[in-house]
Amino acid sequence: MKTQFSRRRNSILGGYPWLGPSALLVGVLVLIALLLRLVFPGALTAIASPAWMSGTALTAGVGSAGSFFGDKADLVAERDRLLAENAALTAANATVSARAADLARLLGDRTEPVGGILAGVMVRPPVSPYDVLIVDAGSEDGVVEGSQAAGPGSIPLGTVESVTGGTSRIALYSASGQETESWIGEARIPVTLMGEGSGALRAIVAREAGIVEGDLVYVTGPGAVAIGSVVRVENDPSSPRSRIDIRPLVNPFSVTWVTIAP
Amino acid sequence: MTRIASSVFALISLFIFPWPVSLALIAAAAFLFPASGIALGVLADILYYSPDVAFLPYFSIYGALLTGLSLLVRRFVKTRIMEA
């Protein structure tokens, strides 16, 4: 007796003969990429860097493309206003510089130059799905794992998580699961900051600590360095603790340069 | 051609667009070419994930789910003429 087998039994892939070989090819490519990340991370970033740089350039280009459609008269007026403002600021800067030089001669200069390796940001959130910055300075430039990375105004952003020859990966303080010891408020109340992802941070403190919106949050650096400010304090009447939501002073979504402490 | 174009566009988006856009493009590509869902998800995590910044490689998980969903849709949903 002839047995009839169903051609469709266990045939999720059966109707698409091209699917199997294609999936195999894709799997092999992914495996190669995985090996590159684990064994030769520098090679992977070297391959990806041109694409990241192109993406950054395109993003910047989109921001300025709108000016093409601006009214000519408005643009001329804006240019004139900016020229006048620039002249005024140049004069003011000369005055301030002269005053600073006089004071330095009088009192001495205790300000030391800020050390650090300057690095351009190739990838930042939200292109990166995790709170990670990938920058164009690596071990060849003197970057080592665990170094602190800072944004404009020397405001700390995170720590170097891994390094290759020409690039580094910086885990932001706001990365999900990151815990950072810090202080809040003028009284420097010690707390543990917890990353929430997407640039957000939170902390849990005793309600009687008296934390209010606008209080600054500090981490260790040369002294206490402000990294964020309190934007919301949530008090639950049934709990002796308050939940504090913190916004970083430097927006990680728009940071373009960082300095990395060697 | 559409399958290849959608997968390539989703691949490029990983380097340029915000991740929600990339995820949407990966979802679209996965429904045209199921293997691209998991492949692009894993690739995103190879590029950006590290254990210090997230508990799980979310993009790989989403990619695998999208691939599974796409295969199920292809298996059970067939084009046919609806009869009254």
PDB file of all heavy atoms in Angstrom, chain A residues 8 16 22 26 30 34 37 52 123 126-127 129-130 161 169 176 178, chain B residues 15-16 18-19 33 39 42 45-50 52-53 58 74-75:
ATOM      1  N   ARG A   8       3.501  19.201   3.450  1.00  0.00           N
ATOM      2  CA  ARG A   8       3.525  20.413   4.262  1.00  0.00           C
ATOM      3  C   ARG A   8       3.823  20.127   5.723  1.00  0.00           C
ATOM      4  O   ARG A   8       3.867  21.028   6.540  1.00  0.00           O
ATOM      5  CB  ARG A   8       2.190  21.147   4.149  1.00  0.00           C
ATOM      6  CG  ARG A   8       1.978  21.726   2.771  1.00  0.00           C
ATOM      7  CD  ARG A   8       0.654  22.393   2.655  1.00  0.00           C
ATOM      8  NE  ARG A   8       0.534  23.507   3.591  1.00  0.00           N
ATOM      9  CZ  ARG A   8      -0.590  24.156   3.779  1.00  0.00           C
ATOM     10  NH1 ARG A   8      -1.677  23.806   3.118  1.00  0.00           N
ATOM     11  NH2 ARG A   8      -0.658  25.149   4.632  1.00  0.00           N
ATOM     12  N   TYR A  16       9.456  27.614   0.482  1.00  0.00           N
ATOM     13  CA  TYR A  16      10.405  28.628   0.027  1.00  0.00           C
ATOM     14  C   TYR A  16      11.794  28.003  -0.051  1.00  0.00           C
ATOM     15  O   TYR A  16      12.583  28.126   0.888  1.00  0.00           O
ATOM     16  CB  TYR A  16      10.404  29.829   0.982  1.00  0.00           C
ATOM     17  CG  TYR A  16       9.021  30.410   1.163  1.00  0.00           C
ATOM     18  CD1 TYR A  16       8.204  29.973   2.205  1.00  0.00           C
ATOM     19  CD2 TYR A  16       8.524  31.351   0.262  1.00  0.00           C
ATOM     20  CE1 TYR A  16       6.931  30.487   2.365  1.00  0.00           C
ATOM     21  CE2 TYR A  16       7.248  31.858   0.417  1.00  0.00           C
ATOM     22  CZ  TYR A  16       6.460  31.423   1.465  1.00  0.00           C
ATOM     23  OH  TYR A  16       5.196  31.926   1.617  1.00  0.00           O
ATOM     24  N   SER A  22      19.694  30.885   1.867  1.00  0.00           N
ATOM     25  CA  SER A  22      19.882  32.310   2.207  1.00  0.00           C
ATOM     26  C   SER A  22      20.115  32.476   3.703  1.00  0.00           C
ATOM     27  O   SER A  22      20.989  33.231   4.136  1.00  0.00           O
ATOM     28  CB  SER A  22      18.656  33.127   1.796  1.00  0.00           C
ATOM     29  OG  SER A  22      18.342  32.878   0.477  1.00  0.00           O
ATOM     30  N   VAL A  26      23.356  34.041   5.589  1.00  0.00           N
ATOM     31  CA  VAL A  26      23.238  35.129   6.561  1.00  0.00           C
ATOM     32  C   VAL A  26      23.842  34.698   7.900  1.00  0.00           C
ATOM     33  O   VAL A  26      24.568  35.450   8.556  1.00  0.00           O
ATOM     34  CB  VAL A  26      21.757  35.530   6.721  1.00  0.00           C
ATOM     35  CG1 VAL A  26      21.578  36.430   7.926  1.00  0.00           C
ATOM     36  CG2 VAL A  26      21.267  36.239   5.476  1.00  0.00           C
ATOM     37  N   VAL A  30      26.877  36.465   9.968  1.00  0.00           N
ATOM     38  CA  VAL A  30      26.732  36.914  11.360  1.00  0.00           C
ATOM     39  C   VAL A  30      27.801  36.274  12.231  1.00  0.00           C
ATOM     40  O   VAL A  30      28.392  36.919  13.104  1.00  0.00           O
ATOM     41  CB  VAL A  30      25.312  36.577  11.875  1.00  0.00           C
ATOM     42  CG1 VAL A  30      25.239  36.752  13.381  1.00  0.00           C
ATOM     43  CG2 VAL A  30      24.289  37.471  11.200  1.00  0.00           C
ATOM     44  N   LEU A  34      30.504  38.105  14.501  1.00  0.00           N
ATOM     45  CA  LEU A  34      30.625  37.802  15.939  1.00  0.00           C
ATOM     46  C   LEU A  34      32.072  37.469  16.286  1.00  0.00           C
ATOM     47  O   LEU A  34      32.611  37.927  17.298  1.00  0.00           O
ATOM     48  CB  LEU A  34      29.695  36.643  16.285  1.00  0.00           C
ATOM     49  CG  LEU A  34      29.521  36.321  17.756  1.00  0.00           C
ATOM     50  CD1 LEU A  34      28.881  37.500  18.479  1.00  0.00           C
ATOM     51  CD2 LEU A  34      28.659  35.081  17.943  1.00  0.00           C
ATOM     52  N   ARG A  37      34.057  40.582  16.410  1.00  0.00           N
ATOM     53  CA  ARG A  37      33.845  41.361  17.642  1.00  0.00           C
ATOM     54  C   ARG A  37      34.612  40.752  18.816  1.00  0.00           C
ATOM     55  O   ARG A  37      35.195  41.456  19.624  1.00  0.00           O
ATOM     56  CB  ARG A  37      32.345  41.410  17.946  1.00  0.00           C
ATOM     57  CG  ARG A  37      31.973  41.915  19.341  1.00  0.00           C
ATOM     58  CD  ARG A  37      32.108  43.416  19.467  1.00  0.00           C
ATOM     59  NE  ARG A  37      31.991  43.856  20.841  1.00  0.00           N
ATOM     60  CZ  ARG A  37      30.867  44.223  21.410  1.00  0.00           C
ATOM     61  NH1 ARG A  37      29.747  44.227  20.730  1.00  0.00           N
ATOM     62  NH2 ARG A  37      30.855  44.630  22.673  1.00  0.00           N
ATOM     63  N   TRP A  52      29.846  54.750  10.225  1.00  0.00           N
ATOM     64  CA  TRP A  52      29.469  55.612  11.351  1.00  0.00           C
ATOM     65  C   TRP A  52      29.760  57.082  11.030  1.00  0.00           C
ATOM     66  O   TRP A  52      28.956  57.962  11.304  1.00  0.00           O
ATOM     67  CB  TRP A  52      30.224  55.197  12.612  1.00  0.00           C
ATOM     68  CG  TRP A  52      29.643  54.000  13.292  1.00  0.00           C
ATOM     69  CD1 TRP A  52      28.324  53.630  13.351  1.00  0.00           C
ATOM     70  CD2 TRP A  52      30.356  52.998  14.025  1.00  0.00           C
ATOM     71  NE1 TRP A  52      28.194  52.462  14.070  1.00  0.00           N
ATOM     72  CE2 TRP A  52      29.405  52.059  14.497  1.00  0.00           C
ATOM     73  CE3 TRP A  52      31.699  52.806  14.345  1.00  0.00           C
ATOM     74  CZ2 TRP A  52      29.760  50.946  15.266  1.00  0.00           C
ATOM     75  CZ3 TRP A  52      32.058  51.703  15.109  1.00  0.00           C
ATOM     76  CH2 TRP A  52      31.102  50.781  15.561  1.00  0.00           C
ATOM     77  N   VAL A 123      29.489  57.446  17.313  1.00  0.00           N
ATOM     78  CA  VAL A 123      28.134  56.922  17.525  1.00  0.00           C
ATOM     79  C   VAL A 123      27.661  57.317  18.912  1.00  0.00           C
ATOM     80  O   VAL A 123      28.403  57.215  19.877  1.00  0.00           O
ATOM     81  CB  VAL A 123      28.098  55.383  17.412  1.00  0.00           C
ATOM     82  CG1 VAL A 123      26.679  54.877  17.594  1.00  0.00           C
ATOM     83  CG2 VAL A 123      28.633  54.923  16.091  1.00  0.00           C
ATOM     84  N   PRO A 126      20.574  58.369  19.879  1.00  0.00           N
ATOM     85  CA  PRO A 126      19.786  57.140  19.795  1.00  0.00           C
ATOM     86  C   PRO A 126      20.162  56.211  18.648  1.00  0.00           C
ATOM     87  O   PRO A 126      19.466  55.230  18.443  1.00  0.00           O
ATOM     88  CB  PRO A 126      18.383  57.684  19.579  1.00  0.00           C
ATOM     89  CG  PRO A 126      18.583  58.912  18.762  1.00  0.00           C
ATOM     90  CD  PRO A 126      19.884  59.500  19.209  1.00  0.00           C
ATOM     91  N   VAL A 127      21.256  56.530  17.894  1.00  0.00           N
ATOM     92  CA  VAL A 127      21.662  55.559  16.872  1.00  0.00           C
ATOM     93  C   VAL A 127      22.081  54.261  17.559  1.00  0.00           C
ATOM     94  O   VAL A 127      21.715  53.167  17.145  1.00  0.00           O
ATOM     95  CB  VAL A 127      22.812  56.128  16.016  1.00  0.00           C
ATOM     96  CG1 VAL A 127      23.357  55.066  15.083  1.00  0.00           C
ATOM     97  CG2 VAL A 127      22.318  57.316  15.198  1.00  0.00           C
ATOM     98  N   PRO A 129      21.496  51.664  20.279  1.00  0.00           N
ATOM     99  CA  PRO A 129      20.317  51.340  21.093  1.00  0.00           C
ATOM    100  C   PRO A 129      20.601  51.301  22.585  1.00  0.00           C
ATOM    101  O   PRO A 129      19.673  51.364  23.382  1.00  0.00           O
ATOM    102  CB  PRO A 129      19.895  49.964  20.576  1.00  0.00           C
ATOM    103  CG  PRO A 129      21.002  49.452  19.753  1.00  0.00           C
ATOM    104  CD  PRO A 129      21.923  50.572  19.429  1.00  0.00           C
ATOM    105  N   TYR A 130      21.846  51.194  22.955  1.00  0.00           N
ATOM    106  CA  TYR A 130      22.213  51.193  24.371  1.00  0.00           C
ATOM    107  C   TYR A 130      22.932  52.507  24.662  1.00  0.00           C
ATOM    108  O   TYR A 130      23.358  53.187  23.748  1.00  0.00           O
ATOM    109  CB  TYR A 130      23.121  50.006  24.677  1.00  0.00           C
ATOM    110  CG  TYR A 130      22.547  48.693  24.188  1.00  0.00           C
ATOM    111  CD1 TYR A 130      22.989  48.120  23.007  1.00  0.00           C
ATOM    112  CD2 TYR A 130      21.524  48.065  24.883  1.00  0.00           C
ATOM    113  CE1 TYR A 130      22.442  46.933  22.536  1.00  0.00           C
ATOM    114  CE2 TYR A 130      20.976  46.882  24.418  1.00  0.00           C
ATOM    115  CZ  TYR A 130      21.436  46.324  23.248  1.00  0.00           C
ATOM    116  OH  TYR A 130      20.883  45.159  22.784  1.00  0.00           O
ATOM    117  N   GLU A 161      34.699  51.464  28.508  1.00  0.00           N
ATOM    118  CA  GLU A 161      34.344  50.060  28.777  1.00  0.00           C
ATOM    119  C   GLU A 161      35.254  49.103  28.007  1.00  0.00           C
ATOM    120  O   GLU A 161      35.610  48.045  28.526  1.00  0.00           O
ATOM    121  CB  GLU A 161      32.869  49.864  28.413  1.00  0.00           C
ATOM    122  CG  GLU A 161      32.319  48.488  28.623  1.00  0.00           C
ATOM    123  CD  GLU A 161      32.308  47.663  27.357  1.00  0.00           C
ATOM    124  OE1 GLU A 161      32.215  48.242  26.256  1.00  0.00           O
ATOM    125  OE2 GLU A 161      32.414  46.430  27.457  1.00  0.00           O
ATOM    126  N   ARG A 169      34.931  52.381  23.436  1.00  0.00           N
ATOM    127  CA  ARG A 169      33.500  52.281  23.710  1.00  0.00           C
ATOM    128  C   ARG A 169      33.289  52.812  25.133  1.00  0.00           C
ATOM    129  O   ARG A 169      33.865  52.282  26.087  1.00  0.00           O
ATOM    130  CB  ARG A 169      33.096  50.814  23.619  1.00  0.00           C
ATOM    131  CG  ARG A 169      31.629  50.527  23.612  1.00  0.00           C
ATOM    132  CD  ARG A 169      31.449  49.029  23.488  1.00  0.00           C
ATOM    133  NE  ARG A 169      31.912  48.540  22.210  1.00  0.00           N
ATOM    134  CZ  ARG A 169      31.109  48.234  21.189  1.00  0.00           C
ATOM    135  NH1 ARG A 169      29.813  48.336  21.337  1.00  0.00           N
ATOM    136  NH2 ARG A 169      31.596  47.797  20.062  1.00  0.00           N
ATOM    137  N   SER A 176      21.616  51.388  31.228  1.00  0.00           N
ATOM    138  CA  SER A 176      20.771  50.542  32.075  1.00  0.00           C
ATOM    139  C   SER A 176      21.635  49.567  32.880  1.00  0.00           C
ATOM    140  O   SER A 176      22.469  48.852  32.333  1.00  0.00           O
ATOM    141  CB  SER A 176      19.810  49.762  31.172  1.00  0.00           C
ATOM    142  OG  SER A 176      18.998  48.956  31.942  1.00  0.00           O
ATOM    143  N   GLN A 178      23.905  50.408  35.113  1.00  0.00           N
ATOM    144  CA  GLN A 178      25.126  51.036  35.641  1.00  0.00           C
ATOM    145  C   GLN A 178      24.847  51.632  37.014  1.00  0.00           C
ATOM    146  O   GLN A 178      23.823  52.296  37.201  1.00  0.00           O
ATOM    147  CB  GLN A 178      25.588  52.156  34.709  1.00  0.00           C
ATOM    148  CG  GLN A 178      26.316  51.689  33.482  1.00  0.00           C
ATOM    149  CD  GLN A 178      27.806  51.543  33.698  1.00  0.00           C
ATOM    150  OE1 GLN A 178      28.353  52.105  34.644  1.00  0.00           O
ATOM    151  NE2 GLN A 178      28.453  50.776  32.858  1.00  0.00           N
TER     152      GLN A 178
ATOM    153  N   PHE B  15      23.519  52.225  11.110  1.00  0.00           N
ATOM    154  CA  PHE B  15      24.642  53.151  11.265  1.00  0.00           C
ATOM    155  C   PHE B  15      24.205  54.618  11.244  1.00  0.00           C
ATOM    156  O   PHE B  15      24.983  55.496  11.548  1.00  0.00           O
ATOM    157  CB  PHE B  15      25.665  52.943  10.135  1.00  0.00           C
ATOM    158  CG  PHE B  15      26.265  51.577  10.125  1.00  0.00           C
ATOM    159  CD1 PHE B  15      25.712  50.564   9.375  1.00  0.00           C
ATOM    160  CD2 PHE B  15      27.388  51.297  10.888  1.00  0.00           C
ATOM    161  CE1 PHE B  15      26.258  49.296   9.362  1.00  0.00           C
ATOM    162  CE2 PHE B  15      27.940  50.039  10.890  1.00  0.00           C
ATOM    163  CZ  PHE B  15      27.380  49.028  10.134  1.00  0.00           C
ATOM    164  N   ILE B  16      22.983  54.872  10.826  1.00  0.00           N
ATOM    165  CA  ILE B  16      22.571  56.254  10.578  1.00  0.00           C
ATOM    166  C   ILE B  16      21.369  56.677  11.420  1.00  0.00           C
ATOM    167  O   ILE B  16      21.376  57.736  12.036  1.00  0.00           O
ATOM    168  CB  ILE B  16      22.237  56.444   9.082  1.00  0.00           C
ATOM    169  CG1 ILE B  16      23.486  56.186   8.237  1.00  0.00           C
ATOM    170  CG2 ILE B  16      21.706  57.842   8.822  1.00  0.00           C
ATOM    171  CD1 ILE B  16      23.230  56.173   6.746  1.00  0.00           C
ATOM    172  N   PRO B  18      18.111  56.634  14.228  1.00  0.00           N
ATOM    173  CA  PRO B  18      17.842  56.250  15.618  1.00  0.00           C
ATOM    174  C   PRO B  18      17.328  54.811  15.694  1.00  0.00           C
ATOM    175  O   PRO B  18      16.674  54.334  14.760  1.00  0.00           O
ATOM    176  CB  PRO B  18      16.757  57.239  16.063  1.00  0.00           C
ATOM    177  CG  PRO B  18      16.925  58.402  15.168  1.00  0.00           C
ATOM    178  CD  PRO B  18      17.402  57.862  13.850  1.00  0.00           C
ATOM    179  N   TRP B  19      17.619  54.171  16.813  1.00  0.00           N
ATOM    180  CA  TRP B  19      17.338  52.736  16.877  1.00  0.00           C
ATOM    181  C   TRP B  19      15.854  52.375  16.705  1.00  0.00           C
ATOM    182  O   TRP B  19      15.565  51.300  16.149  1.00  0.00           O
ATOM    183  CB  TRP B  19      17.922  52.128  18.151  1.00  0.00           C
ATOM    184  CG  TRP B  19      17.284  52.549  19.448  1.00  0.00           C
ATOM    185  CD1 TRP B  19      17.716  53.535  20.276  1.00  0.00           C
ATOM    186  CD2 TRP B  19      16.120  52.000  20.056  1.00  0.00           C
ATOM    187  NE1 TRP B  19      16.889  53.646  21.346  1.00  0.00           N
ATOM    188  CE2 TRP B  19      15.899  52.706  21.248  1.00  0.00           C
ATOM    189  CE3 TRP B  19      15.244  50.978  19.706  1.00  0.00           C
ATOM    190  CZ2 TRP B  19      14.829  52.438  22.092  1.00  0.00           C
ATOM    191  CZ3 TRP B  19      14.174  50.696  20.555  1.00  0.00           C
ATOM    192  CH2 TRP B  19      13.980  51.427  21.728  1.00  0.00           C
ATOM    193  N   PHE B  33      11.971  38.971   4.232  1.00  0.00           N
ATOM    194  CA  PHE B  33      13.037  37.968   4.218  1.00  0.00           C
ATOM    195  C   PHE B  33      13.309  37.587   5.678  1.00  0.00           C
ATOM    196  O   PHE B  33      14.052  38.281   6.374  1.00  0.00           O
ATOM    197  CB  PHE B  33      14.287  38.554   3.545  1.00  0.00           C
ATOM    198  CG  PHE B  33      15.462  37.636   3.525  1.00  0.00           C
ATOM    199  CD1 PHE B  33      15.305  36.255   3.376  1.00  0.00           C
ATOM    200  CD2 PHE B  33      16.747  38.133   3.634  1.00  0.00           C
ATOM    201  CE1 PHE B  33      16.400  35.423   3.360  1.00  0.00           C
ATOM    202  CE2 PHE B  33      17.851  37.307   3.611  1.00  0.00           C
ATOM    203  CZ  PHE B  33      17.671  35.944   3.474  1.00  0.00           C
ATOM    204  N   ALA B  39      19.400  38.175  11.746  1.00  0.00           N
ATOM    205  CA  ALA B  39      20.750  38.563  11.319  1.00  0.00           C
ATOM    206  C   ALA B  39      21.038  40.016  11.679  1.00  0.00           C
ATOM    207  O   ALA B  39      22.083  40.337  12.263  1.00  0.00           O
ATOM    208  CB  ALA B  39      20.899  38.356   9.820  1.00  0.00           C
ATOM    209  N   VAL B  42      21.251  40.519  15.533  1.00  0.00           N
ATOM    210  CA  VAL B  42      22.554  40.092  16.080  1.00  0.00           C
ATOM    211  C   VAL B  42      23.641  41.080  15.670  1.00  0.00           C
ATOM    212  O   VAL B  42      24.506  41.435  16.479  1.00  0.00           O
ATOM    213  CB  VAL B  42      22.882  38.656  15.603  1.00  0.00           C
ATOM    214  CG1 VAL B  42      24.309  38.281  15.960  1.00  0.00           C
ATOM    215  CG2 VAL B  42      21.917  37.660  16.240  1.00  0.00           C
ATOM    216  N   ASP B  45      23.629  44.075  17.865  1.00  0.00           N
ATOM    217  CA  ASP B  45      24.227  43.816  19.174  1.00  0.00           C
ATOM    218  C   ASP B  45      25.740  43.623  19.081  1.00  0.00           C
ATOM    219  O   ASP B  45      26.476  43.977  20.002  1.00  0.00           O
ATOM    220  CB  ASP B  45      23.568  42.600  19.815  1.00  0.00           C
ATOM    221  CG  ASP B  45      22.235  42.967  20.446  1.00  0.00           C
ATOM    222  OD1 ASP B  45      22.074  44.145  20.825  1.00  0.00           O
ATOM    223  OD2 ASP B  45      21.354  42.103  20.547  1.00  0.00           O
ATOM    224  N   ILE B  46      26.186  43.070  17.964  1.00  0.00           N
ATOM    225  CA  ILE B  46      27.641  42.947  17.775  1.00  0.00           C
ATOM    226  C   ILE B  46      28.267  44.342  17.730  1.00  0.00           C
ATOM    227  O   ILE B  46      29.332  44.590  18.276  1.00  0.00           O
ATOM    228  CB  ILE B  46      27.955  42.160  16.490  1.00  0.00           C
ATOM    229  CG1 ILE B  46      27.641  40.671  16.699  1.00  0.00           C
ATOM    230  CG2 ILE B  46      29.407  42.326  16.084  1.00  0.00           C
ATOM    231  CD1 ILE B  46      27.683  39.852  15.430  1.00  0.00           C
ATOM    232  N   LEU B  47      27.565  45.274  17.105  1.00  0.00           N
ATOM    233  CA  LEU B  47      28.103  46.629  16.980  1.00  0.00           C
ATOM    234  C   LEU B  47      28.016  47.407  18.292  1.00  0.00           C
ATOM    235  O   LEU B  47      28.932  48.143  18.657  1.00  0.00           O
ATOM    236  CB  LEU B  47      27.338  47.401  15.892  1.00  0.00           C
ATOM    237  CG  LEU B  47      27.596  46.993  14.446  1.00  0.00           C
ATOM    238  CD1 LEU B  47      26.595  47.684  13.524  1.00  0.00           C
ATOM    239  CD2 LEU B  47      29.010  47.364  14.035  1.00  0.00           C
ATOM    240  N   TYR B  48      26.913  47.276  19.012  1.00  0.00           N
ATOM    241  CA  TYR B  48      26.645  48.216  20.105  1.00  0.00           C
ATOM    242  C   TYR B  48      26.534  47.603  21.493  1.00  0.00           C
ATOM    243  O   TYR B  48      26.667  48.312  22.484  1.00  0.00           O
ATOM    244  CB  TYR B  48      25.345  48.983  19.814  1.00  0.00           C
ATOM    245  CG  TYR B  48      25.373  49.743  18.520  1.00  0.00           C
ATOM    246  CD1 TYR B  48      24.472  49.474  17.502  1.00  0.00           C
ATOM    247  CD2 TYR B  48      26.316  50.743  18.309  1.00  0.00           C
ATOM    248  CE1 TYR B  48      24.496  50.169  16.314  1.00  0.00           C
ATOM    249  CE2 TYR B  48      26.352  51.439  17.117  1.00  0.00           C
ATOM    250  CZ  TYR B  48      25.436  51.154  16.120  1.00  0.00           C
ATOM    251  OH  TYR B  48      25.483  51.846  14.947  1.00  0.00           O
ATOM    252  N   TYR B  49      26.249  46.318  21.601  1.00  0.00           N
ATOM    253  CA  TYR B  49      25.959  45.752  22.925  1.00  0.00           C
ATOM    254  C   TYR B  49      27.247  45.446  23.693  1.00  0.00           C
ATOM    255  O   TYR B  49      28.251  45.039  23.111  1.00  0.00           O
ATOM    256  CB  TYR B  49      25.157  44.451  22.775  1.00  0.00           C
ATOM    257  CG  TYR B  49      24.923  43.747  24.096  1.00  0.00           C
ATOM    258  CD1 TYR B  49      23.982  44.218  24.988  1.00  0.00           C
ATOM    259  CD2 TYR B  49      25.659  42.624  24.445  1.00  0.00           C
ATOM    260  CE1 TYR B  49      23.772  43.585  26.202  1.00  0.00           C
ATOM    261  CE2 TYR B  49      25.458  41.977  25.650  1.00  0.00           C
ATOM    262  CZ  TYR B  49      24.516  42.461  26.526  1.00  0.00           C
ATOM    263  OH  TYR B  49      24.320  41.839  27.728  1.00  0.00           O
ATOM    264  N   SER B  50      27.185  45.666  24.970  1.00  0.00           N
ATOM    265  CA  SER B  50      28.203  45.103  25.855  1.00  0.00           C
ATOM    266  C   SER B  50      27.518  44.810  27.191  1.00  0.00           C
ATOM    267  O   SER B  50      26.559  45.499  27.562  1.00  0.00           O
ATOM    268  CB  SER B  50      29.386  46.054  26.031  1.00  0.00           C
ATOM    269  OG  SER B  50      29.063  47.058  26.922  1.00  0.00           O
ATOM    270  N   ASP B  52      28.094  45.487  30.085  1.00  0.00           N
ATOM    271  CA  ASP B  52      28.097  46.558  31.083  1.00  0.00           C
ATOM    272  C   ASP B  52      26.935  47.536  30.910  1.00  0.00           C
ATOM    273  O   ASP B  52      26.628  48.292  31.829  1.00  0.00           O
ATOM    274  CB  ASP B  52      29.407  47.361  31.001  1.00  0.00           C
ATOM    275  CG  ASP B  52      30.559  46.577  31.587  1.00  0.00           C
ATOM    276  OD1 ASP B  52      30.299  45.493  32.139  1.00  0.00           O
ATOM    277  OD2 ASP B  52      31.705  47.041  31.475  1.00  0.00           O
ATOM    278  N   VAL B  53      26.337  47.570  29.751  1.00  0.00           N
ATOM    279  CA  VAL B  53      25.340  48.608  29.485  1.00  0.00           C
ATOM    280  C   VAL B  53      23.909  48.091  29.393  1.00  0.00           C
ATOM    281  O   VAL B  53      22.981  48.888  29.296  1.00  0.00           O
ATOM    282  CB  VAL B  53      25.678  49.400  28.201  1.00  0.00           C
ATOM    283  CG1 VAL B  53      26.989  50.144  28.352  1.00  0.00           C
ATOM    284  CG2 VAL B  53      25.730  48.486  26.998  1.00  0.00           C
ATOM    285  N   TYR B  58      19.038  43.019  23.633  1.00  0.00           N
ATOM    286  CA  TYR B  58      17.636  43.152  23.237  1.00  0.00           C
ATOM    287  C   TYR B  58      17.421  43.041  21.734  1.00  0.00           C
ATOM    288  O   TYR B  58      16.430  42.485  21.277  1.00  0.00           O
ATOM    289  CB  TYR B  58      17.068  44.480  23.745  1.00  0.00           C
ATOM    290  CG  TYR B  58      16.974  44.537  25.246  1.00  0.00           C
ATOM    291  CD1 TYR B  58      17.824  45.336  25.989  1.00  0.00           C
ATOM    292  CD2 TYR B  58      16.050  43.770  25.928  1.00  0.00           C
ATOM    293  CE1 TYR B  58      17.756  45.379  27.368  1.00  0.00           C
ATOM    294  CE2 TYR B  58      15.976  43.808  27.307  1.00  0.00           C
ATOM    295  CZ  TYR B  58      16.834  44.613  28.022  1.00  0.00           C
ATOM    296  OH  TYR B  58      16.769  44.634  29.387  1.00  0.00           O
ATOM    297  N   ARG B  74       4.195  33.317   7.347  1.00  0.00           N
ATOM    298  CA  ARG B  74       4.373  32.701   6.034  1.00  0.00           C
ATOM    299  C   ARG B  74       3.811  31.284   6.011  1.00  0.00           C
ATOM    300  O   ARG B  74       3.338  30.801   4.984  1.00  0.00           O
ATOM    301  CB  ARG B  74       5.860  32.656   5.684  1.00  0.00           C
ATOM    302  CG  ARG B  74       6.379  33.986   5.226  1.00  0.00           C
ATOM    303  CD  ARG B  74       7.889  33.968   5.107  1.00  0.00           C
ATOM    304  NE  ARG B  74       8.328  35.190   4.480  1.00  0.00           N
ATOM    305  CZ  ARG B  74       8.437  35.379   3.178  1.00  0.00           C
ATOM    306  NH1 ARG B  74       8.121  34.407   2.346  1.00  0.00           N
ATOM    307  NH2 ARG B  74       8.841  36.519   2.680  1.00  0.00           N
ATOM    308  N   ARG B  75       3.898  30.608   7.160  1.00  0.00           N
ATOM    309  CA  ARG B  75       3.438  29.217   7.198  1.00  0.00           C
ATOM    310  C   ARG B  75       1.920  29.130   7.222  1.00  0.00           C
ATOM    311  O   ARG B  75       1.331  28.283   6.558  1.00  0.00           O
ATOM    312  CB  ARG B  75       4.018  28.558   8.463  1.00  0.00           C
ATOM    313  CG  ARG B  75       3.496  27.162   8.755  1.00  0.00           C
ATOM    314  CD  ARG B  75       3.975  26.177   7.692  1.00  0.00           C
ATOM    315  NE  ARG B  75       3.475  24.840   7.966  1.00  0.00           N
ATOM    316  CZ  ARG B  75       2.269  24.397   7.629  1.00  0.00           C
ATOM    317  NH1 ARG B  75       1.444  25.202   6.991  1.00  0.00           N
ATOM    318  NH2 ARG B  75       1.893  23.170   7.922  1.00  0.00           N
TER     319      ARG B  75
END
